[in-house]
Amino acid sequence: MDPEEFRRLGYQLVDWVAGYRAGLRELPVRPAVEPGEIRAALPLDLPEDPAPDLGAALTGLLDDVVVPGSLHWQHPRYFGYFPAQASLFSLLGDLASGGLGAQGMLWSTGPAATEVEQVVVDGAARALGLDTAFTFDGGGGGSLQDSASSAALVALLAALHRADPGWREDGVRGDERVYVTAETHSSLAKAVRIAGLGAGALRIVPSWAGFADMLAADRAAGLRPILVCPTVGTTGTGTVDPVAAVCAAADGMWVHVDAAWAGVAAVCPEFRGVLDGVERADSLCTDAHKWFGTAFDASFLWVRDGAALPAALSITPEYLRNSASESGEVVDYRDWQVPLGRRFRALKVWAVLHGMGLAGLRAMIREHVRLAQALAARVEADPRFVLAAPPSLALVCLRDASGDAATKALLERVNATGRAFLTHTVVDGHYVIRVAVGSLTTTQDDLDALWQILSS
């Protein structure tokens, strides 16, 4: 394909994306498909020859197979899990990144990719009110990981290295312990597994009030506390753990704060309190691809010690050696992550920041919080429903006052309509409906429509 053919097909695909986004409100949020139905609609064998009209083939696949078979995460009445915003601004940045096709694993392989990212993560740290220690100028620094799951894994590896520099040669000992709560995201359990610690290394903290005593008992038993992970905005109910108190009790452990969903709310001064205490943490992550307008994948990870991740992760074969790296004056982001290869994620975050501005992001977050608060007020005023947990920013957890069976049936009925999509959790043994407000185009009308379905 030459550039002119790409131009023609690119215009066609951009038109398709624009039309899809413009018509999302008219589509059912959840597809009416059965397992295996989509595979059965596609040819079993790959084509030997190129399609005579790639544009028609691609848009045909999208229209006939992909759209009818997709859960529409960008739909204005998508209220499941957490937001997965993919603003059109970010798509432009992704297109530019793919067009460049850069590999930013080293500064020398991507000077612009590296330094644009440094500017973006430092600017985001300032916008969220983080301590200057989390910036490159302050001795720390940040990176854009693919997800909070990867951020948790590299934080754990850095924690293992700080606790025992011989870990790189000798591996884990079996006495390491990692501390989470029952509501901590499962990515921490997976990180423990990947790092080879085993499920027994994961300790569930029943109450942060007793955390210091729990640590003391574990140390007395000959165990080595390595990392603790308080959460700012848990997946289930949006709970914000007492980060400052956890840091005070940690006593030299690595403290990794998982603020994947809620952390970006700190861009609004009135919500900055969600990050109280993180100035004492060792690392912090928050996702740009949830509530910050950016298409998956892009997760901010900041560390207070800019040397911590390279110390744990750097491996330099001869073919990666270069004068810039050996000068010590550059950041090689391959040392801040698990894989070697690295794409230019910062472009799409840059496009969002310059397309929406911090003012636009604040206005969006504030409106989503307002909508969630209005929904919570409706729930509280209706005796048929119960708030299952205090509303947290733009997350509302509710249940049918008649019991778990009625709550589950209500969720299934809402999703079956195709007019909205919800997910659930369990709180204190009760089945609970979660309403996560956060789609870019969600309006009051969409919340009104959801309430009409819930209460009919």
Side-chain angles (χ1 to χ4, degrees), residues 92-434:
L92 294 175
D94 247 349
L95 178 61
S97 175
L100 288 166
Q103 269 284 1
M105 53 192 177
L106 305 170
W107 181 91
S108 63
T109 66
T114 300
E115 296 191 19
V116 169
E117 183 162 339
Q118 289 181 271
V119 169
V120 166
V121 295
D122 272 4
R126 290 190 294 272
L128 297 179
L130 299 184
D131 190 277
T132 56
F134 286 108
T135 66
F136 284 101
D137 288 342
S143 65
L144 286 167
Q145 302 285 323
D146 59 7
S147 63
S149 299
S150 290
L153 176 58
V154 297
L156 175 56
L157 298 177
L160 285 166
H161 183 72
R162 189 172 75 179
D164 177 14
W167 159 83
R168 281 181 47 145
E169 297 298 322
D170 303 327
V172 298
R173 301 179 189 174
D175 58 357
E176 301 88 352
R177 291 298 181 267
V178 173
Y179 299 82
V180 299
T181 73
E183 282 206 65
T184 302
H185 194 271
S186 59
S187 59
L188 269 296
K190 182 175 281 190
V192 165
R193 183 184 301 176
I194 294 170
L197 301 183
L202 196 67
R203 298 277 277 131
I204 307 299
V205 180
S207 167
W208 289 118
F211 178 49
D213 291 339
M214 186 179 188
L215 286 181
D218 282 355
R219 288 190 170 109
L223 301 174
R224 289 191 304 141
I226 299 295
L227 177 144
V228 58
C229 181
T231 303
V232 174
T234 60
T235 300
T237 61
T239 299
V240 176
D241 289 335
V243 176
V246 174
C247 290
D251 190 24
M253 293 173 62
W254 187 287
V255 180
H256 174 67
V257 178
D258 179 358
W261 163 61
V264 296
V267 74
C268 302
E270 67 270 32
F271 302 139
R272 198 152 284 173
V274 299
L275 295 182
D276 283 351
V278 299
E279 67 276 1
R280 299 182 60 183
D282 295 283
S283 56
L284 163 72
C285 77
T286 190
D287 289 341
H289 60 239
K290 281 190 172 72
W291 206 14
F292 213 61
T294 306
F296 188 84
D297 55 2
S299 182
F300 291 107
L301 171 65
W302 292 280
V303 290
R304 291 177 57 86
D305 177 4
L309 297 181
L313 300 172
S314 180
I315 296 176
T316 307
E318 185 60 36
Y319 57 80
L320 293 180
R321 297 190 181 278
N322 64 88
S323 58
S325 296
E326 291 171 7
S327 74
E329 297 179 358
V330 301
V331 169
D332 287 335
Y333 270 129
R334 56 105 187 204
D335 294 330
W336 291 59
Q337 62 179 26
V338 172
L340 172 62
R342 200 159 207 281
R343 61 195 188 87
F344 199 165
R345 290 190 186 95
L347 275 180
K348 60 184 174 185
V349 182
W350 185 97
V352 169
L353 290 167
H354 288 75
M356 298 180 71
L358 293 174
L361 288 163
R362 291 188 191 105
M364 174 197 69
I365 289 170
R366 286 168 176 152
E367 175 62 6
H368 288 158
V369 173
R370 185 196 71 78
L371 290 171
Q373 290 174 340
L375 175 64
R378 280 175 158 172
V379 172
E380 284 188 295
D382 193 321
R384 295 172 296 176
F385 299 105
V386 175
L387 277 178
S392 178
L393 295 171
L395 176 65
V396 178
C397 294
L398 61 98
R399 56 188 177 87
D400 192 302
S402 301
D404 290 349
T407 304
K408 184 175 182 181
L410 176 59
L411 173 70
E412 293 173 349
R413 180 168 61 80
V414 171
N415 288 346
T417 68
R419 295 171 56 204
F421 179 75
L422 304 170
T423 52
H424 80 282
T425 189
V426 174
V427 178
D428 295 331
H430 291 291
Y431 192 95
V432 168
I433 294 172
R434 300 170 66 263

